[in-house]
Amino acid sequence: MSSVIEQLTESFRRFPGIGPRQAKRFVYYLLRSHNGDLEALARQILDLKKSVNQCLECRRFSPKESGQTLCRICRDPNRDHSLLMLVEKDIDLENVERSGTFGGYYFVLGGLIPVLDKNPEQSVHARELLDLIKKRLASGLQEIIVGVSANLEGDNTIEFIKNLLASSFQLSENELKISALGRGLSTGTELEYSDPDTLKNALKHRE
Amino acid sequence: MSSVIEQLTESFRRFPGIGPRQAKRFVYYLLRSHNGDLEALARQILDLKKSVNQCLECRRFSPKESGQTLCRICRDPNRDHSLLMLVEKDIDLENVERSGTFGGYYFVLGGLIPVLDKNPEQSVHARELLDLIKKRLASGLQEIIVGVSANLEGDNTIEFIKNLLASSFQLSENELKISALGRGLSTGTELEYSDPDTLKNALKHRE
Amino acid sequence: MSSVIEQLTESFRRFPGIGPRQAKRFVYYLLRSHNGDLEALARQILDLKKSVNQCLECRRFSPKESGQTLCRICRDPNRDHSLLMLVEKDIDLENVERSGTFGGYYFVLGGLIPVLDKNPEQSVHARELLDLIKKRLASGLQEIIVGVSANLEGDNTIEFIKNLLASSFQLSENELKISALGRGLSTGTELEYSDPDTLKNALKHRE
Amino acid sequence: MSSVIEQLTESFRRFPGIGPRQAKRFVYYLLRSHNGDLEALARQILDLKKSVNQCLECRRFSPKESGQTLCRICRDPNRDHSLLMLVEKDIDLENVERSGTFGGYYFVLGGLIPVLDKNPEQSVHARELLDLIKKRLASGLQEIIVGVSANLEGDNTIEFIKNLLASSFQLSENELKISALGRGLSTGTELEYSDPDTLKNALKHRE
């Protein structure tokens, strides 16, 4: 049987962006830490989910508030009911929210859909998404913005979502619009290195 | 007096992106080259401007063609006369042209305008630009697209060009529109790392 | 009071090489993990020190073996009793051991001594080191190799160790030699970029 | 036929470390330069070899001095006649000389020998090397130091030189020693990341 050092190294290796060398450094860091710090860390890990609520509507994680099953954003009646933005992950939602540029509601997909994904419904939690849309349509939803990164998986995800909604709801473009984030020059992008797709969109969206 | 090795190292140091170490490597590379190659290189440098024409209209450089003062693009009557794109440098123009996304005419500014630039007219060759616009207005010009990189100098340049044209021509928006390339998500941009300005524009240009 | 998300993010920030962004990614990674995985991780962290033994002689960490206070290396009577190598940390020891180039015993200092360190004895666990040396001298120790990295802190540590041993033991060079790892060209080092110190040693150790 | 722009871009592409994009940037940089600067650059390139002497002994390049066929180092009678260091290129020689750690004479090989090189004699200018060694043996040469980088080509070159000298001169180790630069920890090398070969040599050369 493998040792606890090896088991813990293996656990840390599964952390995002961590290789075997750094995983081992983490273990030695903990071996040199005070017992109290180790106990606190273990306690935080055990308490994490208990103290955190996954919002029943947008599926994002936030500190649990007693008696609440929805997060602050989904509970807020003063946001724009006509807009719902789908994002890949919590950190994307936080970045958009921090930018102060969007006033509608969100849904965290939990992932993008790789090309040839065999189970795309599950990758983006399609059932929960459809449930939420049904509910939001009743309170004024007019547009779904697929807010995903500008790459192959993002494009594939946009395509899937459009098809999913078309087959799930018989709604005209007037009743429910589905849009993707606009493409163009990002801050810092240099013209010399821009790809044709970015240039085409930058021209199309000129103003 | 400094040696030719030092003088040539100093010349190469002024090349874009070259530090003292690489400049010296260039000199040793040449020292190990055949005499014929050195003579060919010197000849190419001396012939460069003689064999290259700077287009009288767009100011870009291209191989001299006998009897021609304009480049192939500026001579081409089949391009879109209603559009003129201003770019910073030749390589930007080449990248846009290669992308096949723009069918109008160009003008190479020769630089962007740093904030607090004391001589902005000269940085972007304002006189030649105004001359060209006057001429193009006579043949159907309706929109000027300022096609510069999405950064501080780019924004400053757009601002300067707008003011320059407003004070030089008394034309309504209907007669001559001035636009900038659209901002949004570039190919590969991740939502997690997008700045508020990019997000704001990506939302505005959603489609 | 801060939320568990914030507390755990803060804990991960103290891991070696981890910034605030990655610390937060770790927390979201755990939020998406199964409860069983979180419990296993917390358990491993709590069990880590219990299941790991810090060797009473070399001070390195290794899986606890019942009834043993010394690690496999320190217990092994067939290693070279005349040699003791001092290394900064467990991972250094593992790398040397894996290289198969050293057959003596080790001592893990636990750190190097920064210039102007106020408490150098503590940084390198001087008391435990002196105890071990005393014991090893009785069983044939003839040479102590200070096996630290080739940088300022490493040099400072070598100096400190030499002075410490000189003042602690009245032994001639014949009785106890103190050496440092040899300097020279590392694998992959290019002559063009070598510093004078490396060149001087590479010349001195030519063979 | 290709244009001068293309020809000059192609010439710059052959410069060490320069790709097609930067080569083109160089050409545009020259197009924007003053005629006088272009003429000066072409002149420096043409004058380079005329004003530079390749030393008849060590083969390094240095500014021509009237009436001299040897460089300052090879002419200097006060250096250590017993030592000759073979280096790959001029910049290596300059780095060793600047370090002030070597007082003997040099020979610039002009390259290293890749494994499976079909023409190793030519890669290192074997004939000129043997001529020089013959001459230096007459004035006290006792040791040849092969001062090449610590990599596969360097090792292959050391092997080739040893065989070449063994087959060319019937000299005992007492009469002519052949050595390579010592291996060990370079300045900045960390023990954690050192390869077995570096560790083995660092142990061997401990002091």
Side-chain angles (χ1 to χ4, degrees), chain B residues 4-5 8 11 14-16 22 24 26 28-29 31 33 35 38 42 44-46 49 51-52 63 90 94, chain D residues 3-5 11 14-16 22 24 26 28-29 31 33 35 38 42 44-46 49 51-52 90 94:
Chain B
V4 176
I5 290 186
L8 190 51
S11 292
R14 280 186 238 118
F15 276 44
Q22 202 170 6
K24 193 134 205 191
F26 287 178
Y28 282 119
Y29 161 76
L31 278 167
S33 298
N35 287 334
L38 294 195
Q44 288 159 5
I45 289 169
L46 289 172
K49 286 199 175 178
S51 75
V52 167
D90 286 78
E94 285 182 23
Chain D
S3 71
V4 175
I5 290 185
S11 292
R14 280 187 239 120
F15 276 45
Q22 203 170 4
K24 194 133 204 191
F26 286 177
Y28 283 118
Y29 160 76
L31 279 166
S33 299
N35 287 335
L38 295 195
Q44 287 159 5
I45 291 169
L46 289 172
K49 286 199 176 177
S51 74
V52 167
D90 286 78
E94 285 183 22

Side-chain angles (χ1 to χ4, degrees), chain D residues 121-141:
Chain D
E121 277 84 3
Q122 210 167 322
S123 296
V124 297
H125 294 88
R127 208 167 44 76
E128 290 92 335
L129 173 59
L130 293 176
D131 286 350
L132 177 60
I133 292 173
K134 230 171 282 173
K135 193 177 152 190
R136 291 241 157 258
L137 278 170
S139 56
L141 178 63

Side-chain angles (χ1 to χ4, degrees), chain A residues 20-184:
Chain A
R21 205 156 213 158
Q22 203 170 5
K24 194 134 204 190
R25 292 184 135 202
F26 287 178
V27 173
Y28 282 119
Y29 161 76
L30 293 180
L31 278 167
R32 281 190 299 264
S33 298
H34 293 292
N35 287 335
D37 289 342
L38 294 196
E39 282 158 22
L41 176 62
R43 175 60 37 216
Q44 288 159 5
I45 289 169
L46 288 172
D47 286 350
L48 181 61
K49 286 199 176 177
K50 287 179 215 154
S51 74
V52 167
N53 181 52
Q54 183 166 27
C55 175
L56 281 185
E57 294 198 343
C58 72
R59 301 190 67 255
R60 80 178 180 115
F61 295 101
S62 50
K64 190 167 275 178
E65 299 167 87
S66 104
Q68 302 291 359
T69 56
L70 301 188
C71 74
R72 278 166 195 274
I73 295 176
C74 288
R75 290 203 310 265
D76 183 347
N78 297 317
R79 296 185 71 106
D80 186 341
H81 286 79
S82 69
L83 296 176
L84 178 67
M85 189 190 292
L86 317 187
V87 296
E88 180 191 351
K89 50 193 195 296
D90 286 78
I91 290 179
D92 295 345
L93 186 157
E94 285 183 21
N95 192 28
V96 174
E97 192 63 13
R98 199 165 38 230
S99 76
T101 57
F102 179 71
Y105 296 93
Y106 297 95
F107 179 81
V108 179
L109 297 167
L112 297 184
I113 301 175
V115 182
L116 300 178
D117 188 355
K118 282 182 185 150
N119 214 335
E121 278 84 3
Q122 209 166 322
S123 296
V124 297
H125 295 88
R127 207 167 43 75
E128 290 91 334
L129 173 60
L130 292 175
D131 286 349
L132 177 62
I133 292 174
K134 230 171 282 174
K135 192 177 155 192
R136 291 241 157 258
L137 278 169
S139 56
L141 178 63
Q142 293 172 25
E143 179 176 355
I144 290 172
I145 303 166
V146 191
V148 294
S149 297
N151 56 31
L152 207 64
E153 296 197 354
D155 291 346
N156 199 39
T157 304
I158 293 171
E159 200 55 32
F160 173 81
I161 301 275
K162 287 188 172 172
N163 290 335
L164 176 73
L165 299 189
S167 68
S168 305
F169 304 102
Q170 271 67 45
L171 292 171
S172 73
E173 168 86 354
N174 275 347
E175 295 167 299
L176 182 62
K177 194 179 160 191
I178 298 163
S179 63
L181 288 179
R183 307 285 304 276

